[in-house]
């Protein structure tokens, strides 16, 4: 849940305070991250309200195990498809192949969508570990997620 004090500081902003995954979207996101290893995987999540109904795997143009960047043309095309489905961006996901599921400094600096969840899938353990965050003005706020 986004802290009440943060909401008071930014009364005109909309914040994500939790995220709901459809089971298929959650499973597909994990599979995409595992398939891209050792590179960071990345993608977008769209839906209605707080629910991630559609997963959009994106190309990591950096092809890096420590960073990701999405192609702007691919992003624009996906946003048009989201609009056509009557959905909006609800989350941005990427993997950390060898690091914990917490935003890196680079992730925080480039976080421009406080109304969307930032989802990190860590592959550093035996099983993938998923955590979600709201990132606003370089402040990282953990949020809850559930699968239904």
């Amino acid at each position: 849940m986004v802290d009440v004090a943060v909401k008071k500081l930014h009364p005109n902003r909309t914040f994500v305070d939790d995220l709901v995954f459809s089971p298929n979207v959650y499973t597909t996101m994990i599979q995409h991250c595992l398939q891209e290893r050792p590179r960071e995987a990345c993608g977008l999540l769209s839906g209605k309200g707080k629910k991630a109904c559609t997963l959009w795997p994106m190309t990591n143009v950096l092809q890096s195990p420590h960073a990701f960047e999405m192609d702007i043309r691919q992003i624009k095309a996906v946003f048009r498809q989201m609009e056509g489905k009557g959905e909006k961006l609800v989350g941005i996901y990427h993997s950390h192949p060898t690091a914990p599921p917490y935003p890196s400094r680079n992730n925080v600096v480039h976080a421009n969508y406080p109304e969307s969840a930032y989802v990190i899938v860590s592959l550093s353990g035996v099983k993938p570990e998923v955590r979600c965050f709201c990132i606003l003005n370089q402040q990282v706020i953990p949020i809850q997620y559930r699968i239904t």
Side-chain angles (χ1 to χ4, degrees):
M1 191 74 124
V2 174
D3 187 90
V4 174
V6 173
K7 287 183 178 181
K8 283 183 181 178
L9 284 172
H10 306 279
N12 298 324
R13 298 298 293 258
T14 328
F15 300 93
V16 62
D17 55 8
D18 67 348
L19 183 65
V20 180
F21 288 96
S22 73
N24 183 53
V25 165
Y26 185 85
T27 301
T28 304
M29 177 181 70
I30 299 295
Q31 289 171 341
H32 178 227
C33 292
L34 289 168
Q35 288 169 351
E36 289 298 312
R37 185 169 44 181
R39 296 172 305 278
E40 284 195 7
C42 57
L44 305 175
L45 303 166
S46 66
K48 297 179 181 174
K50 300 176 182 183
K51 185 151 190 176
C53 301
T54 308
L55 178 128
W56 307 90
M58 303 294 280
T59 301
N60 179 353
V61 297
L62 299 179
Q63 295 292 301
S64 168
H66 306 293
F68 76 96
E69 184 178 310
M70 297 179 201
D71 180 277
I72 191 66
R73 292 175 305 244
Q74 188 180 21
I75 293 170
K76 288 179 180 179
V78 166
F79 271 65
R80 283 191 298 275
Q81 290 176 301
M82 283 181 197
E83 188 177 320
K85 289 179 64 122
E87 295 181 354
K88 66 179 181 80
L89 181 69
V90 297
I92 301 165
Y93 75 89
H94 74 282
S95 63
H96 283 179
T98 59
Y102 194 82
S104 68
R105 184 75 197 129
N106 197 43
N107 296 155
V108 173
V109 167
H110 292 98
N112 296 313
Y113 296 91
E115 66 281 359
S116 299
Y118 287 87
V119 182
I120 300 177
V121 180
S122 173
L123 304 174
S124 64
V126 176
K127 290 177 19 180
E129 182 182 357
V130 177
R131 292 198 57 205
C132 298
F133 305 89
C134 172
I135 304 174
L136 174 67
N137 296 335
Q138 300 191 12
Q139 182 180 2
V140 176
I141 305 156
I143 60 172
Q144 299 297 311
Y145 76 89
R146 63 187 189 283
I147 304 163
T148 60

